[in-house]
Amino acid sequence: MESLQAPEALKRLRSQLQERRAVQGASVGNLARATGLSRTTISNALNEGNARPSRSTTGQLAKALRFTPDEITGLLALWEAADDKGLAPSAPVSTESAAPDDTREPATSPRRVPAFVAIGTATALFIAAGVVYGVVQAGKSDDASEDGKDEATRSSVVSGAKGPLLITHKWPTIKVCDGATSVAMSADGSAPSQFKINFAQQDYRPMLTTPESKGGAWGAGHLYLNLSAEGKETVTVDDIRLTRRFPKKISPPSWVVLTQGGCGSVKDRVFDLDLDRPELVDRGVQPTEATQEEPDPAVRANPLGSGFTVSATDPAIIRVAATACRGNYEWSVQIDYSYRGKSLQKEVGPFKSFSVRDKNTKVYVPNNTTGKLEKPTMGTDTPGGCPATS
């Protein structure tokens, strides 16, 4: 290998990892699951402006990205050349746990507090015990019992930080043309008569699915995320994921409004969200075939990570195609992003998706003449995007 200065060797190392990641279509979340490394460790390893990743991290990423043994040897040679501190060669790469110099976030655990000395009366001990319990509970996450590993990967991420990422969203219809998305009202929502809507002339679906209205999608729904940044700032979008491993299950809807029809397709950057599994998968730009509509310049094909940056003048649009076929759920998504070397996050939601009704659920269709809702005379109430049941 030609002699390289450390900065150039590190740049080439990251470039090879990112190029292979683009070919594989692997998100930061995919790599975290494949390697057991935290998202922050992976993001720091792949993005410029961070310290050289550990040898173990480099090797695990290479294996997850399916580098051949010879390619891994070349990659680790770049890793050695990227050392500008005169460190001795490291031990061989292991597929076991990461090396000690990995920047792993520690799992959230009870905080250590000084032991209280038993002084005075039993009342003092009782108060001390209460303080210890409060501190311990403050260190716990709501969903730690559901997914301890996921909690470990996000425990040191700055939750709720006021970073420069700006997000607006649209839910639950697809842009340009949507004659297929149906909606449902939660059990504690209002009756149809409480909404002063002409169901034949107005697109009632965005109105019924706001947090205030308490409605949601019936089967398939579409969440558009418009990502940009404040002022002249630029941020890197690293990953999109569910905020909780298991979406919250909710009661069947009180009523459903079916929409039937549809029209042509439109090109979007699509993340398929299967709420029943649950699983969020990056499908790239869909559909892949040509359409009559020109794709929006903000529809990006490149994978999330160092190559996926957004700003006020260069925004991005992502569609999360959420589908529920075997349950009723409340869910939110989280956008992990990097800004000036820090890993930040923002949450969008909650949203509701329904697909299972009970004997009390009423089903309606709009009357195109009166603009009111009426019972369907024929057809099916199968949730959109779900297989028909016999």
Side-chain angles (χ1 to χ4, degrees):
M1 176 180 288
E2 61 181 300
S3 177
L4 294 174
Q5 296 296 317
E8 178 62 25
L10 183 56
K11 184 176 180 179
R12 289 196 187 184
L13 169 68
R14 287 193 164 114
S15 177
Q16 290 188 23
L17 289 171
Q18 289 284 23
E19 287 174 4
R20 184 61 58 88
R21 178 173 170 240
V23 171
Q24 298 288 342
S27 69
V28 172
N30 296 146
L31 292 175
R33 287 186 286 273
T35 61
L37 299 171
S38 73
R39 287 175 171 83
T40 301
T41 296
I42 294 171
S43 179
N44 288 343
L46 295 173
N47 294 328
E48 299 292 338
N50 297 303
R52 181 184 67 156
S54 75
R55 195 171 193 272
S56 174
T57 293
T58 303
Q60 289 186 67
L61 288 174
K63 290 178 180 179
L65 292 169
R66 301 177 186 173
F67 280 73
T68 66
D70 288 343
E71 289 173 332
I72 292 177
T73 298
L75 202 66
L76 293 179
L78 285 173
W79 183 88
E80 295 286 356
D83 178 16
D84 59 356
K85 297 180 181 179
L87 298 176
S90 303
V93 172
S94 169
T95 58
E96 302 296 324
S97 60
D101 59 337
D102 263 330
T103 313
R104 282 182 178 271
E105 295 103 314
T108 300
S109 59
R111 303 176 187 174
R112 295 183 179 180
V113 296
F116 287 90
V117 179
I119 304 175
T121 66
T123 303
L125 290 175
F126 177 79
I127 294 172
V131 172
V132 173
Y133 177 80
V135 174
V136 169
Q137 293 302 309
K140 292 184 178 180
S141 169
D142 290 340
D143 55 348
S145 61
E146 294 179 341
D147 188 12
K149 179 179 176 181
D150 196 48
E151 173 61 27
T153 62
R154 65 166 175 256
S155 60
S156 67
V157 178
V158 183
S159 179
K162 293 184 178 179
L165 179 65
L166 299 178
I167 305 173
T168 59
H169 70 272
K170 175 181 178 292
W171 164 261
T173 54
I174 202 166
K175 65 183 181 182
V176 181
C177 175
D178 187 334
T181 300
S182 298
V183 295
M185 182 55 59
S186 61
D188 60 345
S190 300
S193 59
Q194 298 300 309
F195 295 94
K196 307 305 179 183
I197 298 173
N198 184 314
F199 287 88
Q201 296 181 0
Q202 295 174 270
D203 190 351
Y204 51 87
R205 295 166 295 184
M207 305 178 198
L208 297 182
T209 54
T210 63
E212 295 75 21
S213 296
K214 301 182 179 180
W218 178 244
H222 307 275
L223 172 63
Y224 281 93
L225 299 172
N226 298 276
L227 310 175
S228 62
E230 296 176 350
K232 298 182 179 180
E233 303 294 348
T234 297
V235 303
T236 299
V237 180
D238 296 315
D239 201 11
I240 299 174
R241 56 194 172 108
L242 283 169
T243 55
R244 300 169 69 95
R245 180 180 174 90
F246 299 103
K248 178 183 177 182
K249 293 186 177 181
I250 55 179
S251 301
S254 56
W255 48 277
V256 175
V257 184
L258 300 178
T259 306
Q260 299 178 354
C263 57
S265 57
V266 60
K267 281 187 178 290
D268 281 323
R269 175 61 178 276
V270 178
F271 282 71
D272 276 342
L273 172 56
D274 185 334
L275 289 161
D276 298 312
R277 297 191 67 165
E279 183 178 59
L280 182 64
V281 179
D282 184 356
R283 299 297 186 191
V285 176
Q286 298 290 329
T288 55
E289 68 272 11
T291 63
Q292 293 182 349
E293 295 288 339
E294 287 295 324
D296 191 310
V299 175
R300 311 272 190 85
N302 51 312
L304 301 184
S306 62
F308 202 105
T309 59
V310 298
S311 64
T313 57
D314 188 23
I317 299 175
I318 287 173
R319 172 161 61 93
V320 178
T323 304
C325 293
R326 300 192 303 273
N328 304 307
Y329 308 100
E330 183 178 274
W331 54 276
S332 302
V333 293
Q334 177 175 300
I335 292 83
D336 296 335
Y337 69 103
S338 304
Y339 173 66
R340 296 186 179 180
K342 293 182 179 180
S343 294
L344 306 172
Q345 61 183 211
K346 281 195 176 180
E347 182 177 324
V348 183
F351 305 97
K352 292 183 175 71
S353 295
F354 300 91
S355 63
V356 176
R357 65 187 184 96
D358 62 16
K359 62 181 181 180
N360 297 316
T361 303
K362 295 179 173 58
V363 180
Y364 301 104
V365 294
N367 182 305
N368 292 329
T369 301
T370 65
K372 296 182 179 181
L373 297 180
E374 62 184 17
K375 293 182 179 180
T377 57
M378 58 182 297
T380 176
D381 61 354
T382 299
C386 300
T389 56
S390 56

